[in-house]
């Protein structure tokens, strides 16, 4: 379990330089990054394909020696079949509320495998989906874009939704905001109560990813 003591910026590895992955992740660890976000897309739940457990293992091998942790975001239909394969390389795993009718069982399985259990919700999904899961959920990934691609714009109603989640959820359930996090959008997400702020393009799309990470981390506080 990883109850965050203060807001953290999670580099989303899908936009890293795949030809220099280990070095880039090591530099971010040295700059203070603690949790790394791995986006898994199946081409069905979202119209894009990304990576599998071997990639999560490579990220874990790169960051764990520096004290880093791995957050796996499964944008996959019926993700139960993947949990055992990802769990050894993950410290936290989120599954989408829209992707499986048996969320209670899935979250229990994620915890049984030794990871923090997260529920991700799309921008169009109401927060009632997650309030019904209090007791079995460790964190909520409140998507600030429709999942599938990096580089999209932050949906401006997200902070209101995060604030409502923060009011409804017990303190020990933390909130992650994923998508469109940049210097202009991070403060509103943080002020609404987000503890994990995921960013791909604003870090890896910058000329100086470490400098961009530091700037976001300073804004996170
Ligand atoms: C989107 C992914 C995000 C993505 C964020 O489907 O879940 O984690 O990598 O990318 P940016 O920060 O570019 O919006
Ligand atoms: Zn993600």
């Amino acid at each position: 379990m990883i109850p965050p003591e203060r807001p953290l910026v999670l580099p989303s590895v899908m936009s890293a330089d795949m030809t220099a992955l280990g070095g880039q992740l090591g530099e971010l660890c040295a700059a203070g990054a603690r949790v790394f976000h791995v986006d898994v897309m199946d081409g069905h739940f979202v119209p894009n394909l990304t990576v599998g457990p071997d990639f999560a293992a490579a990220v874990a091998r790169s960051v764990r020696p520096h004290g880093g942790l791995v957050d796996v975001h499964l944008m996959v239909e019926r993700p139960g079949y993947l949990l055992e394969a990802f769990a050894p390389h993950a410290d936290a795993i989120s599954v989408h509320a829209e992707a499986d009718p048996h969320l209670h069982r899935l979250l229990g399985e994620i915890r049984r495998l030794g990871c923090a259990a997260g529920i991700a919700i799309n921008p169009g999904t109401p927060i009632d989906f997650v309030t019904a899961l209090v007791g079995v959920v460790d964190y909520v990934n409140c998507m600030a874009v429709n999942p599938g691609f990096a580089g999209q714009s932050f949906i401006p109603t997200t902070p209101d939704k995060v604030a409502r989640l923060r009011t409804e959820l017990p303190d020990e359930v933390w909130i992650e905001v994923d998508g469109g996090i940049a210097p202009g959008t991070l403060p509103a997400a943080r002020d609404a109560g987000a503890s994990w702020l995921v960013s791909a393009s604003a870090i890896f799309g910058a000329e100086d990813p470490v400098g961009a990470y530091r700037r976001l981390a300073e804004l996170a506080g």
Side-chain angles (χ1 to χ4, degrees), residues 116-193:
I119 279 288
I121 52 172
N122 285 338
T125 300
I127 67 168
D128 297 357
F129 255 92
V130 300
T131 51
L133 294 162
V134 167
V136 291
V137 68
D138 294 306
Y139 67 107
V140 176
N141 180 354
C142 183
M143 293 301 301
V145 298
N146 288 294
F149 301 93
Q152 303 181 77
S153 298
F154 186 85
I155 295 174
T157 49
T158 307
D160 283 351
K161 191 174 182 184
V162 172
R164 279 186 284 121
L165 278 166
R166 192 60 286 160
T167 306
E168 295 283 330
L169 293 169
D171 289 350
E172 64 269 21
V173 177
W174 70 94
I175 299 172
E176 175 173 44
V177 170
D178 187 6
I181 290 288
T185 55
L186 184 149
R190 175 204 60 202
D191 291 348

Side-chain angles (χ1 to χ4, degrees), residues 12 14 37 39 41 73 75 143 145 147-152 178-180 198-201:
S12 170
M14 89 182 265
H37 183 89
D39 286 307
M41 304 185 186
H73 175 195
M75 286 160 277
M143 293 301 301
V145 298
F149 301 93
Q152 303 181 77
D178 187 6
V198 176
S199 176
S201 312

Side-chain angles (χ1 to χ4, degrees), residues 70-97:
V70 179
D71 172 38
V72 170
H73 175 195
L74 293 176
M75 286 160 277
V76 171
E77 288 289 350
R78 304 297 298 260
Y81 72 101
L82 287 173
L83 298 180
E84 286 205 9
F86 275 100
H89 319 299
D91 301 280
I93 298 178
S94 66
V95 292
H96 265 268

Side-chain angles (χ1 to χ4, degrees), residues 84 87 106-115 117:
E84 286 205 9
L106 279 181
L107 292 169
E109 180 67 4
I110 293 170
R111 280 186 172 176
R112 192 184 67 73
L113 291 165
C115 297

